[in-house]
Amino acid sequence: MKTTKEENKGKTVLITGASNGFGMEFAKLFAQDGYNLVLVARSTERLKNLGYDLQDEHQLEHVCIITSDLTRPEAPQEIYEELKSSGIQVDVLVNNAGAGLHGFFHETDLEREQAIIQLNINTPVALTKLFLQDMKQRNEGKILNLASVVSFMPSPLMAIYGATKAFMLSFSEALTNELQDTNITVTALCPGASNTMFFRRAGAAHTKAANGSLSEPADVARDGYNALMNGEMRVVSGLMNKVQTTASGVLPDSATAATMRHLMEEEESETTNYAE
Ligand SMILES: NC(=O)c1ccc[n+]([C@@H]2O[C@H](COP(=O)([O-])OP(=O)(O)OC[C@H]3O[C@@H](n4cnc5c(N)ncnc54)[C@H](OP(=O)(O)O)[C@@H]3O)[C@@H](O)[C@H]2O)c1
């Protein structure tokens, strides 16, 4: 059940990828409800500006900024140890940081793709392992994992990205079952194409998907936040995305793959629709 601001006071959320997009919106929502913040990403100044503004606005007890490149295998352990040595307990973990790379797999750069697998899979798995063990001892905690609508279908021209998101959905739902007799919940948030830096960073700014109808990050984060607070296993954000993921359950994978490929092909016009 949703907890009140008073009940949350003194609790702490760790959000990866909090410098932009959904992560920034999550930070605002948690701060509004009185959570202390641990914000992680590479852009220190953006994290500081966001974190300290939210601390002032909502009189938070503490805000911790951690600059870390989460493609480094040692990053999760470093973050865990830094928080342990500062005596900060993580009550909610939001595995949000992620990235993609557009292109045919036989042409894309393997090193970049392996870094994406590290960022999108290995890092959230390791963070979950570390913080879940502590949550298990307290028999309390919440974890939100960023999956995607592409978790449900093949993702041509972003094959590695789609596979990482399928992993995150499967991983989250398995943990939900394992933890069903505890007070710990795991929620997978599945957004569709959204108005963040994601497409531009993935080299996909000129695709049809990036120039179609985009969800606003504040709406997506709100859906994820509500589902997390209600202990739901999974939420697909947005009506059309719900329709798309439901249809993917009955259509052959070859058909959904063809649709996804069409969306990930270059748009003919030069205009772009994503966040600048
Ligand atoms: N936007 C969409 O259409 C969409 C749809 C479905 C799912 N998602 C998922 O939603 C999550 C958030 O994406 P977004 O759309 O908000 O994208 P975004 O605007 O590009 O933000 C990505 C965040 O991840 C951080 N990040 C990226 N690489 C990092 C690294 N190596 N180390 C540490 N932090 C890193 C970025 O911070 P720094 O650059 O400061 O490090 C930034 O804060 C991702 O998992 C993405 O896969 C996005």
Side-chain angles (χ1 to χ4, degrees), residues 17-23 40-43 68-71 96-99 119 146-148 161 165 191-194 196-199 201:
S19 61
N20 239 308
F22 300 150
V40 185
R42 294 165 301 181
S43 311
S68 182
D69 180 348
L70 297 175
T71 62
N96 166 74
L119 177 69
L146 258 292
S148 167
Y161 175 74
K165 292 298 168 184
S194 302
T196 69
M197 293 298 287
F198 173 81
F199 283 103
R201 287 182 160 191

Side-chain angles (χ1 to χ4, degrees), residues 190-224:
C190 304
S194 302
N195 190 17
T196 69
M197 293 298 287
F198 173 81
F199 283 103
R200 185 217 279 257
R201 287 182 160 191
H206 295 284
T207 59
K208 295 185 185 81
N211 292 281
S213 157
L214 297 178
S215 304
E216 284 306 316
D219 298 336
V220 173
R222 169 63 68 188
D223 284 346

Side-chain angles (χ1 to χ4, degrees), residues 5 9 24 27-35 37 48-61 63:
K5 186 166 179 171
K9 236 184 170 60
M24 198 168 75
K28 293 179 194 166
L29 291 169
F30 279 100
Q32 270 167 27
D33 277 355
Y35 279 84
L37 304 172
K48 281 186 177 166
N49 290 339
L50 174 69
Y52 299 144
D53 281 356
L54 289 173
Q55 182 168 30
D56 285 350
E57 193 179 342
H58 300 287
Q59 283 96 49
L60 306 178
E61 286 160 15
V63 167

